Every structure is written in structure tokens, then in C-alpha cells.
Amino acid sequence: MGSRTLSLFLYNALLPFGLLYLGPAALIKLRQRGGSWADFGQRLGLWSQERIETLEALPKGQTLWVHAVSVGEVGVARKLILELVRQSPGAGIILTTTTPTAYRLAIELEQSHKGKVVALYSPLDLPWVARRVLRRFNPSQIVLVEAEVWPNMVSQANKRGIPVSLVNARLSSRSERRYRSFGSLVAPIFGMLNRVMVQEEQDMERWAAIGAQEDAITVTGSIKYDPQGSSPAQ
């Protein structure tokens, strides 16, 4: 069994227990913050007919999938998306988020860029969900904002030849130490990233230390303070 296969096997063996432990609290929080049960369906790759039609209207072969976890990341993603729209006016963008507050901001961006941006809740990183979502989205590229890397999604994208970029990447020394304690398990996952665009020089060494390919890491500064936003397509 190869190191990547072993990493995914252990991750998928433990993931259901994590979901059972954290799931009830996450559902309660979803409802408290204005989310609905239909929103939870999106996390399983189940969308309303209206959402499916909106997805199908995006340009074929020119759709980027941008994922931003919460409000702060959506702010970064917004700057990035506006720059992508400016650079590639014929492209479509799927923006996924995790929290209800971030989702509302994403919906506002969709409404101001109808036909170009579609906002959805992020899917759970289960193998069958990852396969289903990638078949439906069929993105030309996946862009993750700041730190969240999903093993199954990255692995399935890698199998399909879909490049995955991590932008505005940050990694504290504490997080580096935590990842390095599981070095042989996490390194194969981070090694699948095609581009890691970090904020500072010191981040290059940290990402390389946890498995990212050195020739994939570049310093682009912080998109948060960039008046336009660095594009992974650049």
C-alpha cells in the first residue's frame, strides 16, 4: 500500500466517527444561524433543480471552483473572483462556503454577477460526495483559500487531472509542528497540490516541511491587502 493510499484509508476510516461526533452540533448551529435542512442537502452533493439549472448555465470547460470557509476567507475570495472575472470574462465561478454567514455573503456576490458566479454550501469530504460533486461541477481548476485542504476532494481532482491551487496560504509555526507530528500521513496529501501561493517567505519553508512540493510554492503576498488580488491563473 502506497503512502498516499494509506493516508486516504486512515482518513476515511476515521472521518465517519468525526462526523458523528461533530454533526449534531453543526446541524444545530446551522439552524441557529439561519440555515435550512435543504442547505444540509448541498453538503451531500444534493441540490434543488433551480441550483442544478444555475450550475448547468455556467460556461462549459471554463468553470473554476473557489472554496472559502467563513466570512474572512469569503472576503479574500471576493477580491480574487472579481479579478478572475476581469481577466476572464467568459469564465464561470462556483463559490462554496461552510458557514451560513459566509454563504449569505457568497449569495450577494452571485446576485451581483448573475450568470458568472454560483454560491453553494461546501460538500462533505466523503469519497462518494467528492466524486459526485466533481462530476457535476466539472471544474477546470479548484482554488482553495488560505488553509483548508480536503484529502478526498484533492485526490479525486488529481485523478481527473484537475489542478488544485491553495491561495493566500498561511501556516503558523504551531500548525506546522502539529502537521509534522503526522508527517508521513499528511505529506502525501499536501504533495498533491499543484500550486501553493503563500503570503510570506517563511511560509515557503513551513509548507515544504509538511509535504508541499517546493517547486509548487510561490510567494504572492496577502490578497487581503492586494488592491486587485493575486490570481492562480497568472
Side-chain angles (χ1 to χ4, degrees):
M1 185 181 291
S3 57
R4 184 183 302 175
T5 303
L6 176 61
S7 295
L8 288 170
F9 174 80
L10 293 174
Y11 172 76
N12 286 319
L14 295 172
L15 182 59
F17 296 99
L19 292 176
L20 286 173
Y21 178 73
L22 298 173
L27 286 172
I28 292 172
K29 187 178 291 187
L30 176 71
R31 294 291 293 166
Q32 289 176 338
R33 296 184 178 180
S36 67
W37 295 118
D39 295 335
F40 181 72
Q42 292 189 26
R43 300 187 187 275
L44 297 175
L46 303 172
W47 307 280
S48 67
Q49 186 59 36
E50 179 187 3
R51 290 279 84 187
I52 291 174
E53 291 173 358
T54 305
L55 284 168
E56 291 177 342
L58 291 173
K60 300 296 185 291
Q62 299 184 67
T63 299
L64 280 77
W65 176 5
V66 179
H67 174 64
V69 180
S70 57
V71 173
E73 288 84 359
V74 170
V76 172
R78 182 181 182 278
K79 297 184 72 172
L80 175 63
I81 289 170
L82 293 177
E83 180 63 14
L84 288 169
V85 169
R86 185 187 70 81
Q87 286 187 22
S88 305
I93 297 164
I94 298 167
L95 173 59
T96 59
T97 65
T98 301
T99 68
T101 307
Y103 180 68
R104 286 193 287 272
L105 294 177
I107 286 292
E108 290 177 7
L109 188 61
E110 175 184 330
Q111 292 172 343
S112 63
H113 291 80
K114 285 190 176 296
K116 292 184 179 295
V117 178
V118 175
L120 298 168
Y121 272 107
S122 58
L124 295 174
D125 193 39
L126 294 164
W128 64 271
V129 174
R131 289 192 292 269
R132 178 185 179 88
V133 169
L134 285 172
R135 282 198 300 269
R136 172 62 70 183
F137 289 3
N138 192 26
S140 58
Q141 184 176 172
I142 298 173
V143 180
L144 309 174
V145 178
E146 294 199 352
E148 188 157 310
V149 177
W150 303 337
N152 284 313
M153 184 266 283
V154 174
S155 176
Q156 291 296 324
N158 188 263
K159 289 179 181 178
R160 288 168 168 76
I162 301 169
V164 181
S165 299
L166 185 63
V167 302
N168 217 47
R170 53 194 174 94
L171 188 69
S172 67
S173 57
R174 180 180 179 183
S175 295
E176 179 196 350
R177 289 194 299 273
R178 186 171 67 248
Y179 280 126
R180 289 183 71 172
S181 65
F182 298 96
S184 60
L185 296 177
V186 302
I189 305 302
F190 290 120
M192 287 189 288
L193 295 170
N194 298 91
R195 296 188 70 183
V196 181
M197 304 168 69
V198 302
Q199 298 185 28
E200 300 177 356
E201 290 281 350
Q202 63 186 10
D203 291 318
M204 294 185 70
E205 294 182 3
R206 289 174 179 168
W207 283 98
I210 64 171
Q213 300 296 319
E214 290 188 17
D215 59 357
I217 308 171
T218 55
V219 180
T220 58
S222 174
I223 295 177
K224 184 176 180 180
Y225 302 110
D226 186 333
Q228 291 184 314
S230 301
S231 166
Q234 290 177 338

